[in-house]
Amino acid sequence: MNRLFYHLVAFLVVAIWGVTFVYTKLLLIAGLTAAQIFVLRFVVAYLLLLAYSLTRKQFRLFSSVWQDELLMVALGITGGSLYFLTENSAMIYTTTTNTSLIVCLCPLIAALLIALFFRSMRLHGLQIVGTVMAAIGVIIVVLNGRFVLHLSPLGDALAFGACLCWALYSLLMIPASQRYDTTFITRKVFFYGLVSMIPYFLIYPDLPSPSVVLRPDVLANLLFLGCVASMLCFLAWNWVIKKLGAVIATNYVYFNPVTTVLFAWLILSERITIYFLIGTLLILTGMYLCNRAPKTN
Protein backbone atom coordinates (compact mmCIF):
# COMPACT_ATOMS: atom_id res chain seq x y z
CA MET A 1 0.00 0.00 0.00
CA ASN A 2 2.84 2.41 0.85
CA ARG A 3 4.53 1.83 -2.50
CA LEU A 4 1.23 2.43 -4.31
CA PHE A 5 0.95 5.76 -2.47
CA TYR A 6 4.44 6.77 -3.66
CA HIS A 7 3.43 6.04 -7.25
CA LEU A 8 0.25 8.08 -6.83
CA VAL A 9 2.21 11.06 -5.51
CA ALA A 10 4.64 10.83 -8.46
CA PHE A 11 1.71 10.80 -10.88
CA LEU A 12 0.03 13.79 -9.22
CA VAL A 13 3.26 15.82 -9.30
CA VAL A 14 3.76 15.15 -13.00
CA ALA A 15 0.08 15.89 -13.65
CA ILE A 16 0.53 19.34 -12.09
CA TRP A 17 3.78 19.93 -13.98
CA GLY A 18 1.96 19.00 -17.16
CA VAL A 19 -0.22 22.10 -16.94
CA THR A 20 2.65 24.48 -16.17
CA PHE A 21 3.44 24.69 -19.91
CA VAL A 22 0.12 26.49 -20.32
CA TYR A 23 0.69 28.85 -17.37
CA THR A 24 4.24 29.64 -18.52
CA LYS A 25 3.04 30.38 -22.05
CA LEU A 26 0.41 32.77 -20.66
CA LEU A 27 3.06 34.60 -18.62
CA LEU A 28 5.33 34.89 -21.66
CA ILE A 29 2.42 36.35 -23.62
CA ALA A 30 1.75 38.78 -20.74
CA GLY A 31 5.25 40.20 -21.20
CA LEU A 32 7.44 38.39 -18.67
CA THR A 33 10.69 36.78 -19.78
CA ALA A 34 11.75 33.19 -19.10
CA ALA A 35 14.29 34.39 -16.51
CA GLN A 36 11.75 36.62 -14.76
CA ILE A 37 9.20 33.81 -14.55
CA PHE A 38 11.75 31.46 -13.02
CA VAL A 39 13.01 33.96 -10.44
CA LEU A 40 9.54 35.07 -9.34
CA ARG A 41 8.23 31.53 -8.88
CA PHE A 42 11.37 30.39 -7.04
CA VAL A 43 11.37 33.47 -4.74
CA VAL A 44 7.82 32.62 -3.70
CA ALA A 45 8.71 28.96 -3.18
CA TYR A 46 11.93 29.67 -1.27
CA LEU A 47 10.40 32.20 1.13
CA LEU A 48 7.54 29.85 1.98
CA LEU A 49 9.84 26.87 2.49
CA LEU A 50 12.33 28.95 4.53
CA ALA A 51 9.52 30.14 6.80
CA TYR A 52 8.42 26.55 7.31
CA SER A 53 12.00 25.34 7.93
CA LEU A 54 12.62 27.99 10.59
CA THR A 55 9.76 26.54 12.65
CA ARG A 56 11.47 23.15 12.81
CA LYS A 57 13.63 22.26 15.81
CA GLN A 58 16.46 20.78 13.74
CA PHE A 59 16.91 23.68 11.31
CA ARG A 60 20.25 23.59 9.51
CA LEU A 61 21.76 26.23 7.25
CA PHE A 62 24.59 24.33 5.54
CA SER A 63 25.46 20.78 4.55
CA SER A 64 27.67 18.60 6.73
CA VAL A 65 30.74 18.99 4.47
CA TRP A 66 31.68 21.44 1.74
CA GLN A 67 31.55 18.73 -0.93
CA ASP A 68 27.87 18.20 -0.15
CA GLU A 69 27.28 21.95 -0.32
CA LEU A 70 28.74 21.90 -3.85
CA LEU A 71 26.34 19.05 -4.60
CA MET A 72 23.46 21.32 -3.54
CA VAL A 73 24.80 24.04 -5.83
CA ALA A 74 24.75 21.58 -8.73
CA LEU A 75 21.18 20.56 -7.86
CA GLY A 76 20.11 24.21 -7.80
CA ILE A 77 21.58 24.78 -11.25
CA THR A 78 20.46 21.57 -12.98
CA GLY A 79 17.01 21.41 -11.39
CA GLY A 80 16.55 25.16 -11.12
CA SER A 81 18.10 28.02 -13.05
CA LEU A 82 19.60 26.26 -16.06
CA TYR A 83 16.69 23.84 -16.48
CA PHE A 84 13.97 26.48 -16.44
CA LEU A 85 15.95 28.97 -18.53
CA THR A 86 16.55 26.42 -21.27
CA GLU A 87 13.01 25.02 -21.18
CA ASN A 88 11.20 28.37 -21.12
CA SER A 89 13.56 29.91 -23.68
CA ALA A 90 13.07 26.94 -25.99
CA MET A 91 9.38 27.82 -26.35
CA ILE A 92 10.42 31.22 -27.74
CA TYR A 93 12.54 29.77 -30.54
CA THR A 94 10.68 26.56 -31.35
CA THR A 95 7.17 25.17 -31.08
CA THR A 96 5.60 23.99 -27.84
CA THR A 97 5.27 20.57 -29.51
CA ASN A 98 9.01 20.29 -30.09
CA THR A 99 9.79 21.51 -26.57
CA SER A 100 7.35 19.12 -24.91
CA LEU A 101 8.50 16.18 -27.04
CA ILE A 102 12.22 16.64 -26.34
CA VAL A 103 11.91 17.51 -22.64
CA CYS A 104 9.51 14.65 -21.91
CA LEU A 105 11.95 12.09 -23.27
CA CYS A 106 14.34 12.84 -20.39
CA PRO A 107 13.59 9.49 -18.61
CA LEU A 108 15.53 7.72 -21.38
CA ILE A 109 18.51 10.06 -20.93
CA ALA A 110 18.26 9.79 -17.14
CA ALA A 111 18.15 5.98 -17.23
CA LEU A 112 21.27 5.85 -19.42
CA LEU A 113 23.10 8.40 -17.29
CA ILE A 114 22.24 6.72 -13.99
CA ALA A 115 23.26 3.32 -15.39
CA LEU A 116 26.75 4.71 -16.09
CA PHE A 117 27.30 5.60 -12.43
CA PHE A 118 25.09 3.14 -10.54
CA ARG A 119 25.29 -0.42 -11.78
CA SER A 120 22.54 -1.57 -9.41
CA MET A 121 20.07 0.88 -10.94
CA ARG A 122 20.30 -0.31 -14.52
CA LEU A 123 17.09 -1.20 -16.31
CA HIS A 124 16.59 -4.86 -17.16
CA GLY A 125 14.25 -6.93 -19.28
CA LEU A 126 10.68 -5.67 -19.03
CA GLN A 127 11.85 -2.32 -17.65
CA ILE A 128 13.70 -1.59 -20.91
CA VAL A 129 10.69 -2.67 -22.98
CA GLY A 130 8.38 -0.62 -20.77
CA THR A 131 10.36 2.62 -20.89
CA VAL A 132 10.80 2.42 -24.69
CA MET A 133 7.06 1.73 -25.09
CA ALA A 134 6.26 4.72 -22.88
CA ALA A 135 8.64 6.90 -24.92
CA ILE A 136 6.87 5.89 -28.14
CA GLY A 137 3.57 6.73 -26.46
CA VAL A 138 4.87 10.21 -25.61
CA ILE A 139 5.86 10.80 -29.23
CA ILE A 140 2.40 9.77 -30.45
CA VAL A 141 0.61 11.96 -27.86
CA VAL A 142 2.74 15.04 -28.56
CA LEU A 143 2.63 14.78 -32.35
CA ASN A 144 -1.14 14.04 -32.19
CA GLY A 145 -1.32 12.81 -35.78
CA ARG A 146 0.67 15.73 -37.19
CA PHE A 147 3.83 13.89 -38.16
CA VAL A 148 5.70 17.04 -39.11
CA LEU A 149 8.23 18.69 -36.81
CA HIS A 150 9.30 22.27 -37.45
CA LEU A 151 13.03 22.04 -36.89
CA SER A 152 14.65 24.97 -35.09
CA PRO A 153 18.30 24.26 -34.23
CA LEU A 154 18.51 26.83 -31.42
CA GLY A 155 15.11 26.07 -29.88
CA ASP A 156 15.51 22.31 -30.13
CA ALA A 157 19.04 22.52 -28.67
CA LEU A 158 17.67 24.51 -25.71
CA ALA A 159 14.95 21.91 -25.19
CA PHE A 160 17.52 19.12 -25.25
CA GLY A 161 19.60 21.12 -22.77
CA ALA A 162 16.61 21.20 -20.43
CA CYS A 163 16.19 17.44 -20.90
CA LEU A 164 19.85 16.85 -20.02
CA CYS A 165 19.60 19.16 -16.99
CA TRP A 166 16.70 17.17 -15.53
CA ALA A 167 18.54 13.90 -16.16
CA LEU A 168 21.57 15.27 -14.29
CA TYR A 169 19.30 16.47 -11.49
CA SER A 170 17.87 12.95 -11.16
CA LEU A 171 21.38 11.52 -11.01
CA LEU A 172 22.61 13.99 -8.38
CA MET A 173 19.50 13.47 -6.24
CA ILE A 174 20.59 9.88 -5.53
CA PRO A 175 23.56 10.70 -3.24
CA ALA A 176 21.83 13.83 -1.88
CA SER A 177 18.70 11.94 -0.80
CA GLN A 178 20.84 9.32 0.94
CA ARG A 179 22.40 11.93 3.25
CA TYR A 180 19.84 14.70 3.74
CA ASP A 181 16.11 15.12 4.30
CA THR A 182 13.76 16.25 1.56
CA THR A 183 12.99 19.69 3.01
CA PHE A 184 16.65 20.64 3.33
CA ILE A 185 17.47 19.52 -0.22
CA THR A 186 14.49 21.32 -1.73
CA ARG A 187 15.27 24.55 0.11
CA LYS A 188 18.85 24.39 -1.17
CA VAL A 189 17.62 23.79 -4.73
CA PHE A 190 15.53 26.97 -4.57
CA PHE A 191 18.31 29.01 -2.93
CA TYR A 192 21.11 28.06 -5.31
CA GLY A 193 18.73 28.19 -8.26
CA LEU A 194 18.19 31.87 -7.42
CA VAL A 195 21.83 32.62 -6.58
CA SER A 196 23.01 31.12 -9.88
CA MET A 197 20.76 33.60 -11.72
CA ILE A 198 22.76 36.59 -10.46
CA PRO A 199 25.33 36.46 -13.33
CA TYR A 200 22.49 36.34 -15.85
CA PHE A 201 20.86 39.50 -14.47
CA LEU A 202 24.23 41.26 -14.27
CA ILE A 203 24.50 40.72 -18.03
CA TYR A 204 20.82 41.29 -18.78
CA PRO A 205 19.52 43.64 -16.04
CA ASP A 206 15.88 43.31 -17.04
CA LEU A 207 13.68 43.40 -13.95
CA PRO A 208 9.96 42.65 -14.26
CA SER A 209 7.55 45.56 -14.35
CA PRO A 210 5.44 45.82 -11.15
CA SER A 211 2.43 46.84 -13.24
CA VAL A 212 2.64 43.52 -15.09
CA VAL A 213 3.40 41.33 -12.04
CA LEU A 214 0.53 42.81 -10.02
CA ARG A 215 -2.07 42.14 -12.70
CA PRO A 216 -4.57 39.70 -11.13
CA ASP A 217 -4.19 37.05 -13.86
CA VAL A 218 -0.38 37.25 -13.85
CA LEU A 219 -0.18 37.21 -10.05
CA ALA A 220 -2.50 34.22 -9.85
CA ASN A 221 -0.39 32.29 -12.37
CA LEU A 222 2.82 33.14 -10.51
CA LEU A 223 1.37 32.09 -7.16
CA PHE A 224 0.28 28.77 -8.64
CA LEU A 225 3.72 28.18 -10.15
CA GLY A 226 5.51 29.24 -6.96
CA CYS A 227 3.34 27.68 -4.25
CA VAL A 228 2.06 24.54 -5.96
CA ALA A 229 4.19 23.69 -8.99
CA SER A 230 7.47 24.66 -7.28
CA MET A 231 7.34 24.40 -3.48
CA LEU A 232 4.84 21.57 -2.99
CA CYS A 233 5.74 19.63 -6.13
CA PHE A 234 9.52 19.83 -5.61
CA LEU A 235 9.11 18.66 -2.03
CA ALA A 236 6.93 15.76 -3.13
CA TRP A 237 9.16 14.88 -6.10
CA ASN A 238 12.39 14.79 -4.09
CA TRP A 239 10.61 12.65 -1.49
CA VAL A 240 9.34 10.25 -4.17
CA ILE A 241 12.84 9.90 -5.65
CA LYS A 242 14.05 8.83 -2.21
CA LYS A 243 11.23 6.28 -1.88
CA LEU A 244 10.98 4.84 -5.43
CA GLY A 245 14.46 5.47 -6.78
CA ALA A 246 15.50 7.97 -9.45
CA VAL A 247 14.87 5.73 -12.48
CA ILE A 248 11.33 4.65 -11.58
CA ALA A 249 10.31 8.13 -10.41
CA THR A 250 11.69 9.86 -13.50
CA ASN A 251 9.69 7.53 -15.75
CA TYR A 252 6.56 9.33 -14.57
CA VAL A 253 7.67 12.33 -16.65
CA TYR A 254 6.23 10.37 -19.58
CA PHE A 255 2.76 11.30 -18.29
CA ASN A 256 3.54 15.02 -18.60
CA PRO A 257 2.15 15.53 -22.14
CA VAL A 258 -0.92 13.43 -21.32
CA THR A 259 -1.96 15.79 -18.53
CA THR A 260 -1.13 18.79 -20.74
CA VAL A 261 -3.53 17.56 -23.45
CA LEU A 262 -6.24 16.70 -20.90
CA PHE A 263 -5.94 20.15 -19.35
CA ALA A 264 -6.21 21.80 -22.77
CA TRP A 265 -9.30 19.67 -23.46
CA LEU A 266 -10.99 20.62 -20.17
CA ILE A 267 -10.09 24.32 -20.15
CA LEU A 268 -9.52 25.24 -23.79
CA SER A 269 -11.95 22.75 -25.38
CA GLU A 270 -9.22 21.26 -27.57
CA ARG A 271 -10.09 18.00 -29.29
CA ILE A 272 -9.04 14.58 -28.00
CA THR A 273 -7.92 12.39 -30.91
CA ILE A 274 -7.42 8.67 -31.43
CA TYR A 275 -3.66 9.30 -31.41
CA PHE A 276 -3.90 10.66 -27.87
CA LEU A 277 -5.78 7.54 -26.75
CA ILE A 278 -3.28 5.18 -28.42
CA GLY A 279 -0.29 7.08 -27.01
CA THR A 280 -1.78 7.17 -23.53
CA LEU A 281 -2.42 3.42 -23.66
CA LEU A 282 1.22 2.81 -24.64
CA ILE A 283 2.44 5.03 -21.79
CA LEU A 284 0.23 3.25 -19.23
CA THR A 285 1.31 -0.17 -20.50
CA GLY A 286 4.96 0.84 -20.51
CA MET A 287 4.77 2.14 -16.94
CA TYR A 288 3.01 -1.07 -15.87
CA LEU A 289 5.83 -3.17 -17.34
CA CYS A 290 8.45 -0.97 -15.65
CA ASN A 291 6.83 -1.46 -12.28
CA ARG A 292 6.14 -5.19 -12.74
CA ALA A 293 9.82 -5.85 -13.45
CA PRO A 294 12.13 -6.72 -10.54
CA LYS A 295 13.19 -3.53 -8.77
CA THR A 296 16.94 -3.03 -8.73
CA ASN A 297 16.84 0.46 -7.23
Side-chain angles (χ1 to χ4, degrees), residues 246-281:
V247 174
I248 296 299
T250 305
N251 272 339
Y252 273 93
V253 175
Y254 286 134
F255 283 112
N256 198 304
V258 175
T259 57
T260 302
V261 172
L262 284 175
F263 183 77
W265 172 64
L266 289 171
I267 304 300
L268 305 177
S269 300
E270 293 190 3
R271 189 166 57 95
I272 295 290
T273 69
I274 187 64
Y275 297 101
F276 170 80
L277 298 176
I278 293 173
T280 300
L281 180 62

Short mmCIF file of all heavy atoms in Angstrom, two decimals, residues 246-281:
data_model
loop_
_atom_site.label_atom_id
_atom_site.label_comp_id
_atom_site.label_asym_id
_atom_site.label_seq_id
_atom_site.Cartn_x
_atom_site.Cartn_y
_atom_site.Cartn_z
N ALA A 246 15.48 6.94 -8.42
CA ALA A 246 15.50 7.97 -9.45
C ALA A 246 14.95 7.48 -10.79
O ALA A 246 14.25 8.21 -11.49
CB ALA A 246 16.93 8.49 -9.64
N VAL A 247 15.28 6.24 -11.17
CA VAL A 247 14.87 5.73 -12.48
C VAL A 247 13.35 5.57 -12.56
O VAL A 247 12.70 6.04 -13.49
CB VAL A 247 15.56 4.39 -12.79
CG1 VAL A 247 15.02 3.80 -14.10
CG2 VAL A 247 17.07 4.58 -12.91
N ILE A 248 12.77 4.88 -11.58
CA ILE A 248 11.33 4.65 -11.58
C ILE A 248 10.57 5.97 -11.47
O ILE A 248 9.59 6.20 -12.19
CB ILE A 248 10.92 3.72 -10.42
CG1 ILE A 248 11.55 2.33 -10.61
CG2 ILE A 248 9.41 3.59 -10.34
CD1 ILE A 248 11.14 1.62 -11.87
N ALA A 249 11.00 6.85 -10.58
CA ALA A 249 10.31 8.13 -10.41
C ALA A 249 10.37 8.97 -11.68
O ALA A 249 9.35 9.54 -12.10
CB ALA A 249 10.92 8.90 -9.24
N THR A 250 11.53 9.04 -12.31
CA THR A 250 11.69 9.86 -13.50
C THR A 250 10.84 9.35 -14.65
O THR A 250 10.41 10.13 -15.51
CB THR A 250 13.18 9.92 -13.92
OG1 THR A 250 13.96 10.37 -12.82
CG2 THR A 250 13.38 10.88 -15.09
N ASN A 251 10.55 8.06 -14.69
CA ASN A 251 9.69 7.53 -15.75
C ASN A 251 8.31 8.16 -15.76
O ASN A 251 7.64 8.18 -16.79
CB ASN A 251 9.55 6.00 -15.60
CG ASN A 251 10.65 5.25 -16.32
OD1 ASN A 251 11.29 5.77 -17.23
ND2 ASN A 251 10.89 4.02 -15.91
N TYR A 252 7.88 8.70 -14.63
CA TYR A 252 6.56 9.33 -14.57
C TYR A 252 6.51 10.61 -15.40
O TYR A 252 5.41 11.11 -15.69
CB TYR A 252 6.16 9.60 -13.13
CG TYR A 252 5.46 8.42 -12.49
CD1 TYR A 252 6.20 7.47 -11.78
CD2 TYR A 252 4.10 8.21 -12.65
CE1 TYR A 252 5.58 6.36 -11.22
CE2 TYR A 252 3.48 7.11 -12.11
CZ TYR A 252 4.22 6.18 -11.39
OH TYR A 252 3.60 5.09 -10.85
N VAL A 253 7.65 11.15 -15.78
CA VAL A 253 7.67 12.33 -16.65
C VAL A 253 6.98 12.03 -17.97
O VAL A 253 6.47 12.93 -18.64
CB VAL A 253 9.12 12.81 -16.88
CG1 VAL A 253 9.19 13.95 -17.88
CG2 VAL A 253 9.73 13.26 -15.55
N TYR A 254 6.92 10.75 -18.35
CA TYR A 254 6.23 10.37 -19.58
C TYR A 254 4.76 10.77 -19.56
O TYR A 254 4.13 10.94 -20.61
CB TYR A 254 6.32 8.85 -19.79
CG TYR A 254 7.68 8.37 -20.24
CD1 TYR A 254 8.27 7.25 -19.64
CD2 TYR A 254 8.38 9.00 -21.27
CE1 TYR A 254 9.52 6.78 -20.06
CE2 TYR A 254 9.62 8.55 -21.67
CZ TYR A 254 10.18 7.44 -21.07
OH TYR A 254 11.41 6.97 -21.47
N PHE A 255 4.17 10.92 -18.37
CA PHE A 255 2.76 11.30 -18.29
C PHE A 255 2.55 12.80 -18.49
O PHE A 255 1.42 13.26 -18.61
CB PHE A 255 2.19 10.92 -16.91
CG PHE A 255 1.90 9.46 -16.76
CD1 PHE A 255 2.64 8.67 -15.90
CD2 PHE A 255 0.87 8.86 -17.49
CE1 PHE A 255 2.38 7.32 -15.76
CE2 PHE A 255 0.60 7.51 -17.35
CZ PHE A 255 1.35 6.74 -16.48
N ASN A 256 3.64 13.56 -18.51
CA ASN A 256 3.54 15.02 -18.60
C ASN A 256 2.69 15.50 -19.78
O ASN A 256 1.75 16.28 -19.59
CB ASN A 256 4.96 15.61 -18.67
CG ASN A 256 4.98 17.09 -18.34
OD1 ASN A 256 4.29 17.87 -18.96
ND2 ASN A 256 5.79 17.46 -17.38
N PRO A 257 2.97 15.05 -21.02
CA PRO A 257 2.15 15.53 -22.14
C PRO A 257 0.71 15.06 -22.09
O PRO A 257 -0.18 15.72 -22.63
CB PRO A 257 2.89 14.97 -23.38
CG PRO A 257 3.64 13.80 -22.88
CD PRO A 257 4.04 14.15 -21.48
N VAL A 258 0.45 13.91 -21.44
CA VAL A 258 -0.92 13.43 -21.32
C VAL A 258 -1.76 14.41 -20.51
O VAL A 258 -2.88 14.78 -20.89
CB VAL A 258 -0.95 12.03 -20.66
CG1 VAL A 258 -2.39 11.57 -20.43
CG2 VAL A 258 -0.21 11.02 -21.54
N THR A 259 -1.22 14.84 -19.37
CA THR A 259 -1.96 15.79 -18.53
C THR A 259 -2.08 17.16 -19.21
O THR A 259 -3.08 17.85 -19.03
CB THR A 259 -1.27 15.94 -17.16
OG1 THR A 259 0.09 16.35 -17.34
CG2 THR A 259 -1.30 14.63 -16.41
N THR A 260 -1.06 17.53 -20.01
CA THR A 260 -1.13 18.79 -20.74
C THR A 260 -2.31 18.77 -21.72
O THR A 260 -3.08 19.73 -21.81
CB THR A 260 0.18 19.05 -21.51
OG1 THR A 260 1.27 19.09 -20.58
CG2 THR A 260 0.12 20.38 -22.25
N VAL A 261 -2.44 17.68 -22.47
CA VAL A 261 -3.53 17.56 -23.45
C VAL A 261 -4.89 17.52 -22.75
O VAL A 261 -5.85 18.16 -23.18
CB VAL A 261 -3.34 16.29 -24.32
CG1 VAL A 261 -4.56 16.06 -25.21
CG2 VAL A 261 -2.09 16.43 -25.18
N LEU A 262 -4.98 16.78 -21.64
CA LEU A 262 -6.24 16.70 -20.90
C LEU A 262 -6.65 18.08 -20.36
O LEU A 262 -7.82 18.46 -20.40
CB LEU A 262 -6.12 15.70 -19.75
CG LEU A 262 -6.17 14.22 -20.13
CD1 LEU A 262 -5.91 13.36 -18.89
CD2 LEU A 262 -7.51 13.85 -20.74
N PHE A 263 -5.67 18.82 -19.87
CA PHE A 263 -5.94 20.15 -19.35
C PHE A 263 -6.43 21.07 -20.47
O PHE A 263 -7.38 21.84 -20.28
CB PHE A 263 -4.68 20.72 -18.71
CG PHE A 263 -4.87 22.07 -18.08
CD1 PHE A 263 -5.50 22.20 -16.85
CD2 PHE A 263 -4.41 23.22 -18.71
CE1 PHE A 263 -5.69 23.44 -16.26
CE2 PHE A 263 -4.59 24.47 -18.13
CZ PHE A 263 -5.23 24.58 -16.91
N ALA A 264 -5.79 20.99 -21.63
CA ALA A 264 -6.21 21.80 -22.77
C ALA A 264 -7.63 21.43 -23.22
O ALA A 264 -8.40 22.27 -23.66
CB ALA A 264 -5.22 21.62 -23.92
N TRP A 265 -7.96 20.14 -23.10
CA TRP A 265 -9.30 19.67 -23.46
C TRP A 265 -10.35 20.21 -22.48
O TRP A 265 -11.42 20.69 -22.89
CB TRP A 265 -9.32 18.15 -23.48
CG TRP A 265 -10.69 17.55 -23.66
CD1 TRP A 265 -11.51 17.67 -24.74
CD2 TRP A 265 -11.39 16.73 -22.70
NE1 TRP A 265 -12.67 16.98 -24.53
CE2 TRP A 265 -12.64 16.39 -23.30
CE3 TRP A 265 -11.09 16.24 -21.43
CZ2 TRP A 265 -13.58 15.60 -22.63
CZ3 TRP A 265 -12.01 15.45 -20.77
CH2 TRP A 265 -13.24 15.14 -21.38
N LEU A 266 -10.04 20.18 -21.19
CA LEU A 266 -10.99 20.62 -20.17
C LEU A 266 -11.17 22.14 -20.16
O LEU A 266 -12.28 22.64 -20.03
CB LEU A 266 -10.53 20.15 -18.79
CG LEU A 266 -10.63 18.65 -18.50
CD1 LEU A 266 -9.93 18.32 -17.19
CD2 LEU A 266 -12.09 18.21 -18.46
N ILE A 267 -10.06 22.86 -20.29
CA ILE A 267 -10.09 24.32 -20.15
C ILE A 267 -10.25 25.03 -21.49
O ILE A 267 -11.01 25.99 -21.62
CB ILE A 267 -8.81 24.82 -19.45
CG1 ILE A 267 -8.65 24.11 -18.09
CG2 ILE A 267 -8.85 26.33 -19.27
CD1 ILE A 267 -9.80 24.32 -17.13
N LEU A 268 -9.54 24.55 -22.49
CA LEU A 268 -9.52 25.24 -23.79
C LEU A 268 -10.38 24.56 -24.85
O LEU A 268 -10.42 25.00 -26.00
CB LEU A 268 -8.07 25.33 -24.30
CG LEU A 268 -7.07 26.00 -23.34
CD1 LEU A 268 -5.67 25.95 -23.94
CD2 LEU A 268 -7.49 27.44 -23.04
N SER A 269 -11.05 23.48 -24.47
CA SER A 269 -11.95 22.75 -25.38
C SER A 269 -11.24 22.21 -26.61
O SER A 269 -11.82 22.12 -27.70
CB SER A 269 -13.12 23.66 -25.81
OG SER A 269 -13.87 24.08 -24.69
N GLU A 270 -9.95 21.88 -26.46
CA GLU A 270 -9.22 21.26 -27.57
C GLU A 270 -9.65 19.81 -27.73
O GLU A 270 -10.05 19.15 -26.78
CB GLU A 270 -7.71 21.37 -27.35
CG GLU A 270 -7.20 22.80 -27.39
CD GLU A 270 -5.68 22.87 -27.41
OE1 GLU A 270 -5.03 21.80 -27.43
OE2 GLU A 270 -5.15 23.99 -27.40
N ARG A 271 -9.53 19.30 -28.96
CA ARG A 271 -10.09 18.00 -29.29
C ARG A 271 -9.17 16.86 -28.85
O ARG A 271 -7.96 16.94 -29.00
CB ARG A 271 -10.32 17.93 -30.81
CG ARG A 271 -11.10 16.72 -31.28
CD ARG A 271 -11.56 16.93 -32.72
NE ARG A 271 -10.43 17.19 -33.59
CZ ARG A 271 -9.80 16.25 -34.31
NH1 ARG A 271 -10.19 14.98 -34.23
NH2 ARG A 271 -8.80 16.56 -35.09
N ILE A 272 -9.76 15.80 -28.30
CA ILE A 272 -9.04 14.58 -28.00
C ILE A 272 -9.11 13.67 -29.23
O ILE A 272 -10.20 13.40 -29.75
CB ILE A 272 -9.66 13.84 -26.79
CG1 ILE A 272 -9.51 14.68 -25.52
CG2 ILE A 272 -9.01 12.47 -26.60
CD1 ILE A 272 -8.12 14.80 -24.99
N THR A 273 -7.96 13.21 -29.69
CA THR A 273 -7.92 12.39 -30.91
C THR A 273 -7.60 10.94 -30.58
O THR A 273 -7.20 10.61 -29.46
CB THR A 273 -6.86 12.93 -31.89
OG1 THR A 273 -5.56 12.68 -31.33
CG2 THR A 273 -7.04 14.42 -32.14
N ILE A 274 -7.74 10.08 -31.58
CA ILE A 274 -7.42 8.67 -31.43
C ILE A 274 -5.93 8.48 -31.13
O ILE A 274 -5.53 7.54 -30.44
CB ILE A 274 -7.84 7.87 -32.69
CG1 ILE A 274 -7.66 6.37 -32.47
CG2 ILE A 274 -7.06 8.35 -33.90
CD1 ILE A 274 -8.54 5.79 -31.40
N TYR A 275 -5.10 9.39 -31.65
CA TYR A 275 -3.66 9.30 -31.41
C TYR A 275 -3.35 9.52 -29.93
O TYR A 275 -2.47 8.85 -29.36
CB TYR A 275 -2.90 10.34 -32.25
CG TYR A 275 -3.05 10.13 -33.73
CD1 TYR A 275 -3.93 10.91 -34.47
CD2 TYR A 275 -2.33 9.13 -34.38
CE1 TYR A 275 -4.09 10.71 -35.84
CE2 TYR A 275 -2.48 8.92 -35.74
CZ TYR A 275 -3.36 9.71 -36.47
OH TYR A 275 -3.51 9.50 -37.81
N PHE A 276 -4.08 10.44 -29.30
CA PHE A 276 -3.90 10.66 -27.87
C PHE A 276 -4.25 9.40 -27.08
O PHE A 276 -3.53 9.00 -26.16
CB PHE A 276 -4.78 11.82 -27.40
CG PHE A 276 -4.86 11.98 -25.91
CD1 PHE A 276 -3.83 12.61 -25.22
CD2 PHE A 276 -5.94 11.49 -25.19
CE1 PHE A 276 -3.89 12.75 -23.84
CE2 PHE A 276 -6.00 11.62 -23.82
CZ PHE A 276 -4.97 12.26 -23.15
N LEU A 277 -5.34 8.75 -27.45
CA LEU A 277 -5.78 7.54 -26.75
C LEU A 277 -4.77 6.41 -26.93
O LEU A 277 -4.44 5.70 -25.97
CB LEU A 277 -7.16 7.11 -27.25
CG LEU A 277 -8.29 8.13 -27.01
CD1 LEU A 277 -9.59 7.63 -27.64
CD2 LEU A 277 -8.47 8.38 -25.52
N ILE A 278 -4.27 6.24 -28.15
CA ILE A 278 -3.28 5.18 -28.42
C ILE A 278 -1.99 5.46 -27.65
O ILE A 278 -1.41 4.58 -27.02
CB ILE A 278 -2.99 5.08 -29.93
CG1 ILE A 278 -4.24 4.58 -30.68
CG2 ILE A 278 -1.80 4.14 -30.20
CD1 ILE A 278 -4.11 4.62 -32.18
N GLY A 279 -1.53 6.72 -27.72
CA GLY A 279 -0.29 7.08 -27.01
C GLY A 279 -0.41 6.91 -25.51
O GLY A 279 0.50 6.40 -24.86
N THR A 280 -1.55 7.32 -24.96
CA THR A 280 -1.78 7.17 -23.53
C THR A 280 -1.78 5.70 -23.12
O THR A 280 -1.22 5.33 -22.08
CB THR A 280 -3.11 7.83 -23.12
OG1 THR A 280 -3.07 9.22 -23.46
CG2 THR A 280 -3.35 7.68 -21.62
N LEU A 281 -2.40 4.86 -23.93
CA LEU A 281 -2.42 3.42 -23.66
C LEU A 281 -1.01 2.84 -23.65
O LEU A 281 -0.66 2.02 -22.78
CB LEU A 281 -3.28 2.70 -24.69
CG LEU A 281 -3.40 1.17 -24.53
CD1 LEU A 281 -4.06 0.84 -23.19
CD2 LEU A 281 -4.21 0.57 -25.68
#
